[in-house]
């Protein structure tokens, strides 16, 4: 959240600048900041959302055993939030246009060029995040606020139950149709096209894909590699697809799965 300590905001910015500088064809570095749309509070949403996030089990069993005493623990807003810092404006709602406008203005003032907003799937098919929160209805509000403050929006495809490259194909069709005409939607040229020296590379919407390693490389290849029957490449739903990795050892997912760029949340030494 943008109301947290400035030092933490700047640290996040520096990580993302290094990613952007590695993309061919950019005349200047772009700063992309992850911005989560899943927060709620009683005045706007009828209750707290995500501020009262339950503690999730650690994925490594022997580490989880150290924290078994917390398995039923939930946070209790407004006094105790699921957040390392307390927002200056208190636990806010991501659906509040005033909050969105203030955050977009803050990001613009700090040199952030694009907010990468969390999207938890199509509301029409009943998808949500692990806390039951749907952000599909909030994305249009974020785009509207971004348009007003001169900042771009990229969409962060979050996990949902049953997600796969095949369902993401449907998601891309839906998101293109719904948001492609927004002036705030971030569009970039595919690095592989720019690298050829071509002058007619199209500008395409940008999507980050979280937890892409949960699906096989071959499945991603069917969606993202050129010449495959179900590929988006060269179609009206073509996009710049950025894979979020947790380890450099996952790079095969990017090269053989035909992602355009990798964003590594890497904890490996």
């Amino acid at each position: 959240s943008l109301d947290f300590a400035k030092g933490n905001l700047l640290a996040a910015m520096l990580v993302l600048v290094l990613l952007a500088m590695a993309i061919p064809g950019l005349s200047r570095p772009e700063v992309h900041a992850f911005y989560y749309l899943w927060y709620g509070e009683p005045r706007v949403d009828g209750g707290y959302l995500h501020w009262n996030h339950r503690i999730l089990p650690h994925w490594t069993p022997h580490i989880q055993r150290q924290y078994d005493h917390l398995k039923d623990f939930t946070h209790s807003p407004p006094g105790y939030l699921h957040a390392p810092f307390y927002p200056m404006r208190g636990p806010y709602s991501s659906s509040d246009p005033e909050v969105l406008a203030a955050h977009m203005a803050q990001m613009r003032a700090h040199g952030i060029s694009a907010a990468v907003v969390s999207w938890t799937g199509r509301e029409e098919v009943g998808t949500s995040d692990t806390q039951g929160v749907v952000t599909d209805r909030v994305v249009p509000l974020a785009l509207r606020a971004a348009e007003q403050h001169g900042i771009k929006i990229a969409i962060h495809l979050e996990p949902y139950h049953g997600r796969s490259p095949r369902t993401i194909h449907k998601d891309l069709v839906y998101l293109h149709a719904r948001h492609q005409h927004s002036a705030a939607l971030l569009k970039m040229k595919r690095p592989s096209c720019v690298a050829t020296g071509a002058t007619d590379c199209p500008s395409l919407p940008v999507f980050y894909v979280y937890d892409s390693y949960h699906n096989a490389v071959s499945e991603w290849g069917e969606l993202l590699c050129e010449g495959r029957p179900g590929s988006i490449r060269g179609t009206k739903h073509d996009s710049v697809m950025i894979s979020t990795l947790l380890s450099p050892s996952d790079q095969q997912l990017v090269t053989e799965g035909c992602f355009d760029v990798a964003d590594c949340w890497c904890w490996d030494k």
Side-chain angles (χ1 to χ4, degrees), residues 74-172:
T74 55
H75 295 81
S76 304
Y80 191 37
L81 306 183
H82 179 257
F85 304 99
Y86 200 94
M88 290 175 64
R89 65 174 64 242
Y92 56 81
S93 170
S94 300
S95 298
D96 186 335
E98 230 178 85
V99 169
L100 288 166
H103 284 173
M104 296 300 167
Q106 283 181 279
M107 283 190 270
R108 175 67 185 269
H110 283 85
I112 293 171
S113 47
V116 184
V117 302
S118 50
W119 184 76
T120 56
R122 290 167 282 146
E123 185 173 14
E124 63 187 27
V125 296
T127 59
S128 68
D129 69 4
T130 58
Q131 306 299 300
V133 177
V134 178
T135 62
D136 189 29
R137 67 190 73 159
V138 189
V139 171
L141 303 179
L143 284 163
R144 197 171 305 134
E147 288 171 358
Q148 294 168 354
H149 292 279
I151 190 170
K152 297 296 184 181
I153 295 287
I155 295 178
H156 195 190
L157 305 180
E158 296 279 359
Y160 55 76
H161 181 70
R163 193 190 76 171
S164 70
R166 286 192 176 188
T167 67
I168 285 181
H169 194 166
K170 295 177 182 177
D171 294 338
L172 293 174

Side-chain angles (χ1 to χ4, degrees), residues 29-40:
E30 287 197 8
V31 182
H32 298 181
F34 291 95
Y35 181 67
Y36 297 95
L37 297 178
W38 48 43
Y39 294 105

Side-chain angles (χ1 to χ4, degrees), residues 6-247:
K6 181 188 282 188
N8 291 283
L9 173 61
L10 293 177
M13 286 169 58
L14 289 172
V15 171
L16 293 169
V17 165
L18 292 175
L19 166 68
M21 289 179 69
I23 301 177
L26 289 183
S27 56
R28 59 182 176 80
E30 287 197 8
V31 182
H32 298 181
F34 291 95
Y35 181 67
Y36 297 95
L37 297 178
W38 48 43
Y39 294 105
E41 52 94 359
R43 182 180 59 86
V44 177
D45 307 282
Y48 288 107
L49 302 176
H50 267 267
W51 299 115
N52 57 350
H53 201 302
R54 65 184 176 85
I55 291 184
L56 300 179
H58 197 279
W59 53 89
T60 305
H62 77 273
I63 295 178
Q64 173 55 35
R65 282 194 289 272
Q66 301 174 42
Y67 300 98
D68 278 348
H69 62 291
L70 295 175
K71 65 182 179 181
D72 296 320
F73 180 85
T74 55
H75 295 81
S76 304
Y80 191 37
L81 306 183
H82 179 257
F85 304 99
Y86 200 94
M88 290 175 64
R89 65 174 64 242
Y92 56 81
S93 170
S94 300
S95 298
D96 186 335
E98 230 178 85
V99 169
L100 288 166
H103 284 173
M104 296 300 167
Q106 283 181 279
M107 283 190 270
R108 175 67 185 269
H110 283 85
I112 293 171
S113 47
V116 184
V117 302
S118 50
W119 184 76
T120 56
R122 290 167 282 146
E123 185 173 14
E124 63 187 27
V125 296
T127 59
S128 68
D129 69 4
T130 58
Q131 306 299 300
V133 177
V134 178
T135 62
D136 189 29
R137 67 190 73 159
V138 189
V139 171
L141 303 179
L143 284 163
R144 197 171 305 134
E147 288 171 358
Q148 294 168 354
H149 292 279
I151 190 170
K152 297 296 184 181
I153 295 287
I155 295 178
H156 195 190
L157 305 180
E158 296 279 359
Y160 55 76
H161 181 70
R163 193 190 76 171
S164 70
R166 286 192 176 188
T167 67
I168 285 181
H169 194 166
K170 295 177 182 177
D171 294 338
L172 293 174
V173 171
Y174 170 83
L175 291 167
H176 273 254
R178 195 170 191 207
H179 303 306
Q180 64 178 333
H181 298 301
S182 170
L185 188 65
L186 177 66
K187 295 182 179 180
M188 298 174 62
K189 298 176 180 180
R190 290 189 63 207
S192 58
C193 182
V194 173
T196 66
T199 58
D200 58 348
C201 301
S203 292
L204 306 171
V206 176
F207 296 93
Y208 285 73
V209 185
Y210 191 67
D211 275 0
S212 51
Y213 54 86
H214 284 312
N215 295 98
V217 171
S218 59
E219 292 182 79
W220 289 115
E222 289 301 315
L223 177 68
L224 301 179
C225 293
E226 295 180 14
R228 305 287 178 86
S231 175
I232 62 170
R233 299 307 185 195
T235 73
K236 64 181 181 180
H237 303 120
D238 203 353
S239 308
V240 173
M241 302 293 287
I242 302 176
S243 173
T244 299
L245 306 181
L246 296 183
S247 169

Side-chain angles (χ1 to χ4, degrees), residues 235-266:
T235 73
K236 64 181 181 180
H237 303 120
D238 203 353
S239 308
V240 173
M241 302 293 287
I242 302 176
S243 173
T244 299
L245 306 181
L246 296 183
S247 169
S249 62
D250 294 328
Q251 61 184 324
Q252 181 188 19
L253 184 65
V254 180
T255 56
E256 296 184 20
C258 299
F259 281 91
D260 295 291
V261 185
D263 161 35
C264 198
W265 296 30
C266 298

